[in-house]
Amino acid sequence: VIKIGDSVIPYHPDFKFYLTSKLPNPHYAPEQSVKLTILNFTVTMEGLEDQLLGITVAKERPDLDELKNSLVVSGAKMASQLKEIESTILKLLSESEGNILDDESLINTLSQSKVTSNEINAKAEEAA
């Protein structure tokens, strides 16, 4: 399905949707980049090699291409989780009154965020 505004529209599998941009180097979120084929018409030799390598890997070893795509998506999710944790901690710190060491919810959140952060960093190292 394609979501345009508030409408969700079903489409035929053979349907192709093309977008153009006047931006010299548009940036898309990793979740979107995995689902798109981006053509950059300002080609350098290095950029062309990267594009051709990506196409070749997708044709020759689709399992590796799928693994790369899943790593990109999971990396984006992990970065989002870390941002969420940071926001929660900052919110609790700003709302805390008196001695922050007496705030049980803040201490519990900090402990849980440390565990989650360590897990995310371990997964990121494993993916690299």
Side-chain angles (χ1 to χ4, degrees), residues 86-121:
E86 181 182 309
S87 296
T88 303
I89 291 170
L90 290 174
K91 180 179 178 254
L92 288 172
L93 282 172
S94 69
E95 292 174 352
S96 179
E97 295 178 5
N99 189 354
I100 60 172
L101 297 176
D102 295 335
D103 191 345
E104 287 290 323
S105 66
L106 179 60
I107 299 298
N108 292 337
T109 303
L110 285 170
S111 299
Q112 184 60 37
S113 67
K114 182 177 180 182
V115 170
T116 306
S117 178
N118 288 339
E119 289 173 1
I120 289 172
N121 288 332

Side-chain angles (χ1 to χ4, degrees), residues 29-48:
E31 301 89 25
Q32 296 166 340
S33 295
V34 170
K35 298 176 185 176
L36 302 172
T37 300
I38 299 174
L39 298 176
N40 185 347
F41 291 104
T42 56
V43 177
T44 63
M45 190 58 77
E46 183 181 325
L48 184 59

